Amino acid sequence: MDNLNFQSAGYMSKKEVELRRIFLEQVNYIPAGERIKRCIQCGTCTGSCPVSYAMDISPRQLIALFRAGEMETIMKSRTIWICASCYACTTRCPSGIKITDIIYALKRTAMEKNYISQANQVQILANLFVNNLMKYGRLHEGTLIRNYYLKTSLWKLFKLIPLAKKLYQTKRLSLFPKRINAYHSLSKIIKKAQEIDLRITAPPLEYSPEYVGYRTLGEMKLEQRKGE
Amino acid sequence: MKYAYYPGCSLEKTQRGYDQSVREIFKILGQELIEIEDWNCCGATMYMSVKETVSLAVSARNLAIAEKMGLDIVAPCSSCFTVLAKTNRILNQVPEMHQNVNEALSESGLSYSGKTRVRHPLDILVNDIGIESIIHKTKRSLNGLKVAPYYGCQIVRPEKGFDDRENPVLMDKLFNKCGAEIVYYPMKVRCCGGMLMTTFEDTALKLNKELLECAQKHQADIIVTTCPLCHMNLEGYQDRINEIYNTKFNMPILYFTQLLGIVLGLPESSLGLDSSFIPMPQKLKSIMEVQYV
């Protein structure tokens, strides 16, 4: 019996613990990020979200799943990628939870652990965006969109021709990207920042990583809500 | 007043109408905009795919240069505005992040103490210059024009900023004073989908269809926006929406700075109105023919 490889009730797998650790490390950098503890599962976030109808897991369920020790389900979901970052949920959350930033933290956790979701086109776009910025210092929309559709759908690139034509006719189409003059000093900043990111270690977190449910969240501190 | 101007990547070319009109109205209202030399992209979407310090350092470089200039930043693009303000907030509230970002910035001889304020042109126009002083300089009245003010999601969120987060009213007040009729537009802060137009096209098209539908239902002649992404989605994809939903939208989309420029008597060409896909409505054309002295 002892050799059986199953998790005891209330405990999480190693993978889950790792995902949770990365996620909570990110949450620590969000000002007032710890308010995730205050979620009362009211669903105001889901009701306010203009795209929740197209999600597989609702924003409310994200927090419920996190508490339940189901980070992996979140990582594979479409939800975190379809968030357009409009902050409607954050604005309305009666507990003051920074939901949009929490979703960013989930996106970054997924990117870091290479989770490819069914909505991976967002990951492709995000990577192309970074490449574009690293190469030129500014975003060149034409290059970004072209490269994105070359990787995802040639048909859609083809369908963009009328829009490109209109942009050209109204002198709004820039054909070639150009680098900013300070490109080298920007690259130095980025390189250094990447080094710093590698050496950053997770600050102590106020939670017990091995438990699921409300117990993971540690003492609930209800600090005063100032001027929200 | 002098401001450090941060146009942002879309205003460089694709949304040149916004850039031109911001520069022109600031000039005519006696405000000086000095473009930040060699500014770089604010980071926008990259925030999700790189680690924290990189995305913050990239956007903080602009804040640091503005601080050196001793000026507040004016960022017309909603996305740049939100990202720069967010960077500011994180650096001010998480000291270790501030330290790390400064360490990265020092590689190119920069440092940032956190003093630069990030402002939106709408905030400056209404709250600093004031509607009354603007009205003194108007050369035309928008009498009879029905305007749907669309603020989009990011200029008033997430933190409480210069206007209400659920029902912002600064544009309503401004154009109402200019003689326009502000139509009931409950969708004023509903998201346009932003970059979803690239990644989840169907969803974004539906969102924009709803925005256009609401404006049309309340008989708006034009929609005014404050954001290049909203503008692109509402204007550039109107044909596609008509095709898919079998609608007949032909709604002109103007930047609020373009409409204000018209009121201030500026010519069409200097406001970049020649760059619109959808021609201005007849009412607005007639308004432009008149000019008080």
Side-chain angles (χ1 to χ4, degrees), chain A residues 31 85-87 92 98 101 108 111 121 137-139 141 166 170-172 181-182 196-197 199, chain B residues 12 14 16 38-39 41 47-50 52-53 61 86 93 103 154 157 159 166 199 239 275:
Chain A
S85 184
C86 79
Y87 296 96
R92 292 185 183 163
K98 307 289 174 190
D101 295 325
R108 264 185 272 140
M111 292 289 259
Q121 66 271 30
R138 280 183 199 168
L139 171 69
E141 290 155 316
K166 277 188 180 177
T170 50
K171 301 194 188 86
R172 285 161 62 178
N181 294 328
I196 296 172
D197 270 327
R199 76 162 193 240
Chain B
E12 265 197 303
T14 336
R16 65 179 174 87
D38 255 338
W39 52 271
C41 170
Y47 191 68
M48 69 171 88
S49 49
V50 292
E52 201 93 40
T53 318
R61 179 177 171 269
K86 184 177 189 166
Q93 293 179 18
E103 189 184 331
Q154 294 191 326
R157 291 170 181 171
E159 300 294 311
E166 293 280 3
T199 49
D239 287 351
S275 68

Side-chain angles (χ1 to χ4, degrees), chain A residues 36 39 41 59-68 97 99 102:
Chain A
I36 188 176
C39 177
Q41 291 287 300
R60 175 188 65 78
Q61 286 172 327
L62 285 181
I63 298 187
L65 284 166
F66 155 72
R67 283 175 173 170
I97 300 167
I99 306 161
I102 298 276

Side-chain angles (χ1 to χ4, degrees), chain A residues 25-26 28-32 48-51 53-54 78 81-92 98 100-101 104 107-109 111-112 119 121-123 125-127 129-130 133-134 137-141 144-145 148-149 156 159-160 163 166-167 169-174 178-183 185-186 188-190 192-194 196-200 203 227-228, chain B residues 9-17 35-55 57-58 61 82 86 89-90 93-94 96-97 99-101 103-108 110 153-154 157-160 165-166 189-191 193-204 206-207 229 231-232 235-237 239-240 243 274-277:
Chain A
E25 186 184 316
Q26 310 267 10
N28 252 13
Y29 287 125
I30 303 170
S48 307
C49 178
V51 291
Y53 77 94
R78 192 176 138 87
W81 304 109
I82 207 168
C83 166
S85 184
C86 79
Y87 296 96
C89 49
T90 308
T91 306
R92 292 185 183 163
K98 307 289 174 190
T100 311
D101 295 325
Y104 268 122
K107 284 175 184 166
R108 264 185 272 140
T109 310
M111 292 289 259
E112 193 174 328
Q121 66 271 30
V122 184
Q123 291 160 299
L125 185 73
N127 285 330
F129 190 103
V130 175
L133 198 156
M134 302 272 189
R138 280 183 199 168
L139 171 69
H140 186 256
E141 290 155 316
L144 176 71
I145 300 295
Y148 171 77
Y149 284 123
K156 282 192 175 163
K159 281 208 299 192
L160 273 183
L163 179 61
K166 277 188 180 177
L167 286 170
Q169 283 165 346
T170 50
K171 301 194 188 86
R172 285 161 62 178
L173 191 70
S174 117
K178 66 172 198 280
R179 268 186 184 171
I180 61 168
N181 294 328
Y183 169 73
S185 79
L186 178 69
K188 275 193 219 157
I189 295 176
I190 295 178
K192 185 74 191 173
Q194 281 166 335
I196 296 172
D197 270 327
L198 285 179
R199 76 162 193 240
I200 290 181
E228 288 170 21
Chain B
C9 306
S10 0
L11 269 69
E12 265 197 303
K13 190 84 184 177
T14 336
Q15 301 296 344
R16 65 179 174 87
E35 187 168 333
I36 297 176
E37 204 191 334
D38 255 338
W39 52 271
N40 59 271
C41 170
C42 69
T45 321
M46 87 180 288
Y47 191 68
M48 69 171 88
S49 49
V50 292
K51 291 196 94 180
E52 201 93 40
T53 318
V54 178
S55 69
V58 164
R61 179 177 171 269
T82 299
K86 184 177 189 166
R89 212 161 44 238
I90 295 180
Q93 293 179 18
V94 187
E96 49 187 314
M97 249 325 155
Q99 207 180 330
N100 290 340
V101 166
E103 189 184 331
L105 288 178
S106 69
E107 283 293 304
S108 68
L110 288 167
C153 48
Q154 294 191 326
R157 291 170 181 171
E159 300 294 311
K160 172 109 188 66
R165 289 186 287 184
E166 293 280 3
V189 290
R190 182 64 139 42
C191 177
M195 280 308 272
L196 294 189
M197 195 55 93
T198 325
T199 49
F200 292 91
E201 201 183 335
D202 300 347
T203 313
K206 180 171 177 286
L207 293 174
L229 230 64
H231 194 283
M232 188 49 149
E235 188 194 49
Y237 287 84
D239 287 351
R240 188 76 66 81
E243 198 180 297
D274 56 324
S275 68
S276 304
F277 292 168

Side-chain angles (χ1 to χ4, degrees), chain B:
Chain B
M1 275 288 279
K2 265 193 203 175
Y3 297 96
Y5 183 50
Y6 181 83
C9 306
S10 0
L11 269 69
E12 265 197 303
K13 190 84 184 177
T14 336
Q15 301 296 344
R16 65 179 174 87
Y18 199 8
D19 182 55
Q20 278 170 279
S21 55
V22 169
R23 289 178 196 265
E24 288 295 323
I25 60 168
F26 269 68
K27 194 156 67 182
I28 205 167
L29 294 170
Q31 313 290 315
E32 198 180 339
L33 291 180
I34 304 168
E35 187 168 333
I36 297 176
E37 204 191 334
D38 255 338
W39 52 271
N40 59 271
C41 170
C42 69
T45 321
M46 87 180 288
Y47 191 68
M48 69 171 88
S49 49
V50 292
K51 291 196 94 180
E52 201 93 40
T53 318
V54 178
S55 69
L56 290 173
V58 164
S59 107
R61 179 177 171 269
N62 302 304
L63 297 167
I65 301 175
E67 191 177 66
K68 221 159 130 187
M69 292 162 80
L71 302 173
D72 287 345
I73 286 187
V74 176
C77 166
S78 295
S79 189
C80 304
F81 173 74
T82 299
V83 170
L84 293 171
K86 184 177 189 166
T87 305
N88 238 350
R89 212 161 44 238
I90 295 180
L91 296 186
N92 282 318
Q93 293 179 18
V94 187
E96 49 187 314
M97 249 325 155
H98 194 169
Q99 207 180 330
N100 290 340
V101 166
N102 262 333
E103 189 184 331
L105 288 178
S106 69
E107 283 293 304
S108 68
L110 288 167
S111 80
Y112 180 55
S113 77
K115 284 198 198 107
T116 307
R117 283 201 304 165
V118 183
R119 312 279 313 267
H120 192 270
L122 181 61
D123 178 21
I124 294 173
L125 290 170
V126 179
N127 294 328
D128 291 9
I129 304 174
I131 296 180
E132 289 307 318
S133 349
I134 294 175
I135 295 300
H136 280 308
K137 296 196 173 158
T138 52
K139 298 257 192 300
R140 289 169 183 145
S141 159
L142 294 178
N143 234 327
L145 188 74
K146 292 183 175 177
V147 175
Y150 178 56
Y151 296 78
C153 48
Q154 294 191 326
I155 93 169
V156 286
R157 291 170 181 171
E159 300 294 311
K160 172 109 188 66
F162 60 87
D163 206 346
D164 192 79
R165 289 186 287 184
E166 293 280 3
N167 184 20
V169 290
L170 294 188
M171 272 203 283
D172 302 38
K173 281 186 184 165
L174 177 64
F175 292 121
N176 191 23
K177 282 275 183 186
C178 297
E181 183 187 331
I182 309 295
V183 304
Y184 175 63
Y185 196 54
M187 299 278 229
K188 51 162 73 162
V189 290
R190 182 64 139 42
C191 177
C192 74
M195 280 308 272
L196 294 189
M197 195 55 93
T198 325
T199 49
F200 292 91
E201 201 183 335
D202 300 347
T203 313
L205 287 173
K206 180 171 177 286
L207 293 174
N208 285 282
K209 179 209 141 209
E210 287 165 3
L211 293 171
L212 292 164
E213 210 168 47
C214 181
Q216 197 177 56
K217 190 176 144 204
H218 295 103
Q219 278 126 35
D221 297 316
I222 58 166
I223 297 179
V224 282
T225 68
T226 62
C227 170
L229 230 64
C230 303
H231 194 283
M232 188 49 149
N233 285 347
L234 285 168
E235 188 194 49
Y237 287 84
Q238 236 178 81
D239 287 351
R240 188 76 66 81
I241 292 169
N242 285 337
E243 198 180 297
I244 290 176
Y245 290 97
N246 210 2
T247 47
K248 289 199 179 81
F249 295 120
N250 191 29
M251 180 68 71
I253 317 289
L254 263 73
Y255 284 109
F256 77 104
T257 43
Q258 290 178 317
L259 187 60
L260 188 62
I262 293 176
V263 183
L264 291 169
L266 292 163
E268 196 175 328
S269 56
S270 69
L271 295 170
L273 284 163
D274 56 324
S275 68
S276 304
F277 292 168
I278 299 162
M280 285 190 292
Q282 196 48 49
K283 272 188 201 170
L284 199 53
K285 280 184 189 154
S286 334
I287 286 171
M288 290 190 72
E289 280 162 15
V290 190
Q291 182 135 335
Y292 313 135
V293 187

